Amino acid sequence: MTIADGAVLVTGANRGLGQALVEEALGMGAQRVYAGTRQPLAHPDGRVVPLTLDVTDAAQIQAAVERVGSLDVLINNAGVDLQGDLSDRVLLERHLTVNLFGTYGVTQAFLPLLTRSRGAIVNVLSVAAIAPLPFTPTYSISKSAALNLTQALRARLAAQGVRVHAVLAG
């Protein structure tokens, strides 16, 4: 997978790993880096195009698709990690909404562009997807589900020339 001269979209690009991924894409020569964030973002490099993108908001996802002309790499990095236990269904639903369904929704929306470019999807997950953490089981469940989504997408999209990768951070 080459990023040089390509277009990359990073969700959750406002801080931490997402911010580092934007900088890495720029360093690798990306022609355009779409930085998806829930809040407005300013970046000094003209190759960075800020996108208002809450991965749980279908209207914002569609608006982002309409702003992106072409896409070579989608990096699904947006996520939440809220501490809690299995007794709180609302917490489990919030984790699944962002970490699983957010990734799914953004992927499905940008899939036509990625199919056209024979691009790649990179889902930033966690080692908690395979080794659950006792102090945040709902997060672990959501990341495990997202890992299974990633594997299913990999199998489904291979024939279309779209590569799908999982990054197990942590």
Side-chain angles (χ1 to χ4, degrees):
M1 168 175 43
T2 180
I3 290 178
D5 299 320
V8 178
L9 167 59
V10 179
T11 67
N14 58 313
R15 62 185 178 88
L17 188 53
Q19 188 175 32
L21 289 166
V22 168
E23 297 306 319
E24 186 65 22
L26 292 170
M28 295 177 76
Q31 181 180 41
R32 175 100 35 228
V33 179
Y34 296 96
T37 63
R38 289 181 294 153
Q39 306 299 324
L41 176 77
H43 196 282
D45 192 311
R47 294 175 293 166
V48 176
V49 177
L51 294 175
T52 300
L53 182 56
D54 179 333
V55 301
T56 67
D57 185 320
Q60 285 187 14
I61 294 169
Q62 186 55 44
V65 169
E66 292 169 8
R67 287 199 55 206
V68 174
S70 65
L71 188 62
D72 300 294
V73 179
L74 167 62
I75 303 175
N76 284 306
N77 172 68
V80 295
D81 181 6
L82 309 167
Q83 303 292 308
D85 62 35
L86 286 173
S87 67
D88 188 347
R89 181 186 172 108
V90 171
L91 189 61
L92 175 59
E93 288 175 354
R94 180 70 182 143
H95 277 112
L96 290 169
T97 297
V98 176
N99 298 343
L100 174 63
F101 294 116
T103 297
Y104 174 80
V106 170
T107 299
Q108 290 302 113
F110 284 96
L111 195 53
L113 295 177
L114 293 165
T115 300
R116 188 175 314 133
S117 68
R118 299 179 66 81
I121 299 165
V122 179
N123 291 337
V124 178
L125 305 173
S126 167
V127 295
I130 55 175
L133 301 171
F135 54 87
T136 183
T138 54
Y139 172 78
S140 299
I141 289 166
S142 70
K143 288 299 187 171
S144 181
L147 176 58
N148 279 279
L149 170 65
T150 303
Q151 293 169 324
L153 288 169
R154 181 180 301 122
R156 180 178 154 248
L157 299 176
Q160 297 174 46
V162 177
R163 295 170 310 278
V164 182
H165 307 278
V167 174
L168 299 175

